[in-house]
Amino acid sequence: MSKGTKVPGYMQGKGSRNPRGIIGDREIRYKCSLQNTILDVLRGRPGWQEVPGQNNIQPNVNQANPKQAGFQSIPPITRNSDGDWDFYWCDREWLAQNYDTMFLYEHQKILHFRNHYELTRKNLMVKNLKRLKKQTERELGKAEGQSFEFFPTTYELPSEYHIFVEEFKKNPGIIWIMKPAARAQGRGIFLFRRLKDITDWKKGEYQPLSDPNREVPETYVVQRYIENPYLIGGRKFDVRVYVLVVSYNPLKVWLYRSGFARFSNTRFSLDSIEDTYVHLTNVAIQKNAPDYDPDKGCKWSTQQLRKYLSAKHGVEAVKKAFKGIDNIIIKSLQSVQKIIINDKHCFEMYGYDVLFDSDLKPWLIEINASPSLTASGKEDYDLKFGLLNDLLNVLDLENRLTGKEKRVGGWDLLWEDGPILADDGNMECAPNGTTASIPNSFLGCHNERKRQLRELYTAAQSIKKS
């Protein structure tokens, strides 16, 4: 390697068995398994080149109408399957089939950790949270365990059916919600008040399998339904929060400033628990409602939501509520920190779904390993385009940053083996007159990402020159 060759920080001082692998002044080669916003971002990124050749691509069956969304549709293409790439936005199925048998060079980056499902399967998420909660109570006391009171009472079916029945009988009349452990977009979810309402679950299915040829019943979780959600305009909503993990050991977490609140299309009522348009906020469910308007949708930006809540309840109350979301993020990631197979080549972008109750307490509903990147409209497209572009800026394959940044575009560094405090002068969303150090968390705050990036890269270039 010549002395003038530009080498990324994570390659410095290291050799490579693949001469083409080192990213110097050459283009960055990428592969992508999806046909939606991420492909637009990759294709529009200067100095990035799509790897040609043959490989199966997964079409997105939920692609929005291009005319409605305000952007051009992407023609189907194919890609090769060799290792001649620097960055791969792969799907979970491809990773499961190939991760254990492939060799990754120093420079390569790939979406998803090997066992990401430990956090994103509903039953495993709760199992890991319960375990860390018990460990915390044992080591630090019951008071510390209260910091885990952000997920509803939950049982796994069929394995915990009998424990659930005991709990059910202790609390007659309350509402429970059933969710398939490994499905998404609201599929298979229903609410019930009586045990006999679970018609698809017969007593024999909860017994040990005596017949080896008998089909194993699908795993579900059953949770106590949050009957007092915070309502706006009489409608229930949840909040999609984007979280980026670039390392589990040490744990390094970024939180994106922008997201959205998803509203149900029908006014909330406990009198109609069978109506999914009332109780489920998933866009995949709501878009089928008879009076759904695809132009208006059922979304607010997180900035709109924070402004509304602050005007109604005050800055301090909202600050406390959003701090609760930070706690949910960190505690949930810590619950799998020792379980996830850490790999410096991997990163994960999670979509957290959080619900506020009538007391503004945040509850964790679920965590998605592959949050939808298909845009439902122009605003949604702009949000996701900026989100993904800034994600690539954080990963910094171009080696333009110093590695000490606390903010990159819309991403704020929330945790790096410990909490990160905001710099002086970065006190957005803080009460007037605040001078004390505050967490480097700005969910729902102003996101002037383009201006921040210009200033960031100018400063980083000056530091590197000096």
Side-chain angles (χ1 to χ4, degrees):
M1 186 187 306
S2 65
K3 292 183 179 179
T5 304
K6 180 182 176 184
V7 182
Y10 52 79
M11 285 293 298
Q12 291 175 4
K14 297 183 179 181
S16 173
R17 286 177 281 175
N18 178 11
R20 290 198 62 200
I22 299 174
I23 304 174
D25 294 322
R26 67 166 174 78
E27 77 284 352
I28 296 172
R29 301 181 302 270
Y30 69 85
K31 292 177 65 179
C32 183
S33 295
L34 300 178
Q35 282 182 288
N36 53 31
T37 314
I38 180 58
L39 191 55
D40 282 0
V41 170
L42 291 168
R43 286 179 173 175
R45 198 163 175 89
W48 287 54
Q49 180 66 44
E50 191 166 2
V51 175
Q54 191 153 20
N55 188 27
N56 292 330
I57 184 168
Q58 301 295 327
N60 194 313
V61 296
N62 294 317
Q63 179 68 42
N65 185 320
K67 293 182 180 179
Q68 292 178 354
F71 52 91
Q72 298 297 316
S73 59
I74 304 168
I77 56 176
T78 57
R79 298 171 180 73
N80 69 356
S81 57
D82 62 23
D84 191 21
W85 48 267
D86 307 304
F87 179 88
Y88 191 3
W89 193 281
C90 69
D91 55 49
R92 293 169 296 173
E93 293 73 21
W94 186 92
L95 189 83
Q97 294 170 8
N98 295 276
Y99 182 89
D100 292 335
T101 58
M102 65 182 179
F103 173 80
L104 292 174
Y105 290 99
E106 284 284 337
H107 67 285
Q108 291 180 303
K109 287 286 184 181
I110 190 167
L111 177 66
H112 300 308
F113 288 90
R114 173 64 181 86
N115 56 338
H116 58 83
Y117 49 80
E118 288 285 350
L119 186 62
T120 55
R121 276 184 63 110
K122 299 176 184 70
N123 58 326
L124 297 180
M125 178 191 80
V126 173
K127 173 185 173 183
N128 289 317
L129 281 169
K130 285 180 177 179
R131 186 188 64 252
L132 183 58
K133 179 183 178 183
K134 288 181 180 178
Q135 178 185 336
T136 301
E137 290 176 339
R138 187 170 59 250
E139 296 176 356
L140 302 175
K142 291 281 186 179
E144 286 295 323
Q146 294 296 311
S147 62
F148 287 86
E149 298 294 333
F150 55 76
F151 59 97
T153 301
T154 307
Y155 300 95
E156 179 181 322
L157 301 184
S159 62
E160 297 180 329
Y161 176 72
H162 295 296
I163 304 174
F164 160 65
V165 170
E166 291 179 11
E167 181 69 20
F168 182 91
K169 291 178 179 178
K170 291 178 184 176
N171 300 276
I174 70 169
I175 300 173
W176 296 82
I177 184 168
M178 284 273 283
K179 304 176 182 180
R183 290 199 236 174
Q185 298 183 325
R187 291 190 293 265
I189 298 178
F190 62 94
L191 281 65
F192 66 96
R193 280 194 176 98
R194 301 171 298 178
L195 280 178
K196 65 179 183 179
D197 292 337
I198 317 178
T199 56
D200 293 336
W201 292 80
K202 298 179 181 178
K203 185 176 179 180
E205 291 181 323
Y206 305 111
Q207 307 302 325
L209 296 178
S210 56
D211 182 0
N213 297 319
R214 177 182 166 191
E215 185 178 349
V216 177
E218 182 179 7
T219 299
Y220 273 67
V221 294
V222 59
Q223 293 181 322
R224 186 164 178 168
Y225 186 63
I226 298 171
E227 299 183 19
N228 64 325
Y230 191 99
L231 305 178
I232 296 180
R235 288 168 170 80
K236 177 183 174 181
F237 67 93
D238 67 1
V239 185
R240 167 59 56 86
V241 180
Y242 294 104
V243 175
L244 172 64
V245 177
V246 295
S247 170
Y248 270 99
N249 185 23
L251 183 61
K252 188 171 184 178
V253 185
W254 296 78
L255 174 62
Y256 200 65
R257 295 186 169 209
S258 299
F260 51 85
R262 304 178 299 183
F263 288 81
S264 61
N265 202 54
T266 307
R267 293 178 69 87
F268 183 79
S269 172
L270 293 177
D271 296 331
S272 53
I273 63 172
E274 72 286 345
D275 191 341
T276 55
Y277 300 135
V278 172
H279 300 283
L280 304 184
T281 60
N282 309 70
V283 174
I285 298 291
Q286 293 297 326
K287 69 181 182 181
N288 296 314
D291 54 347
Y292 178 76
D293 187 339
D295 293 326
K296 294 181 180 178
C298 296
K299 291 182 179 179
W300 274 11
S301 71
T302 314
Q303 282 79 7
Q304 284 177 282
L305 177 65
R306 184 157 188 160
K307 286 180 181 178
Y308 174 89
L309 295 175
S310 296
K312 192 165 185 179
H313 301 282
V315 172
E316 282 298 333
V318 175
K319 179 182 175 184
K320 179 181 178 182
F322 277 67
K323 186 177 180 181
I325 295 179
D326 294 346
N327 178 64
I328 288 174
I329 293 168
I330 297 305
K331 290 290 195 301
S332 60
L333 293 172
Q334 288 176 333
S335 75
V336 296
Q337 185 177 3
K338 295 181 180 179
I339 300 172
I340 295 289
I341 301 171
N342 191 59
D343 187 333
K344 63 184 178 182
H345 302 97
C346 303
F347 66 95
E348 199 81 58
M349 187 183 78
Y350 296 108
Y352 276 66
D353 291 337
V354 177
L355 174 77
F356 287 116
D357 66 18
S358 56
D359 298 319
L360 275 185
K361 175 181 177 179
W363 294 85
L364 175 60
I365 303 303
E366 66 180 28
I367 304 171
N368 301 276
S370 297
S372 173
L373 301 179
T374 299
S376 58
K378 182 63 168 60
E379 289 186 11
D380 197 40
Y381 181 78
D382 291 342
L383 163 66
K384 290 172 179 175
F385 193 97
L387 165 82
L388 296 166
N389 218 356
D390 287 347
L391 181 149
L392 299 180
N393 293 332
V394 171
L395 296 180
D396 192 31
L397 271 69
E398 299 94 338
N399 189 35
R400 293 188 291 173
L401 301 176
T402 65
K404 297 180 180 180
E405 290 78 9
K406 291 184 179 181
R407 180 184 176 190
V408 178
W411 290 100
D412 294 294
L413 183 60
L414 181 65
W415 189 274
E416 186 172 16
D417 207 22
I420 302 298
L421 298 179
D423 293 329
D424 293 338
N426 192 7
M427 296 295 167
E428 298 171 63
C429 293
N432 292 333
T434 298
T435 57
S437 297
I438 63 171
N440 195 50
S441 172
F442 300 96
L443 178 63
C445 299
H446 186 52
N447 185 8
E448 72 307 342
R449 47 177 298 275
K450 292 183 179 179
R451 180 185 64 79
Q452 195 274 341
L453 286 171
R454 286 194 298 269
E455 295 174 356
L456 177 71
Y457 285 126
T458 299
Q461 187 177 19
S462 299
I463 293 173
K464 289 195 172 189
K465 285 182 178 179
S466 61

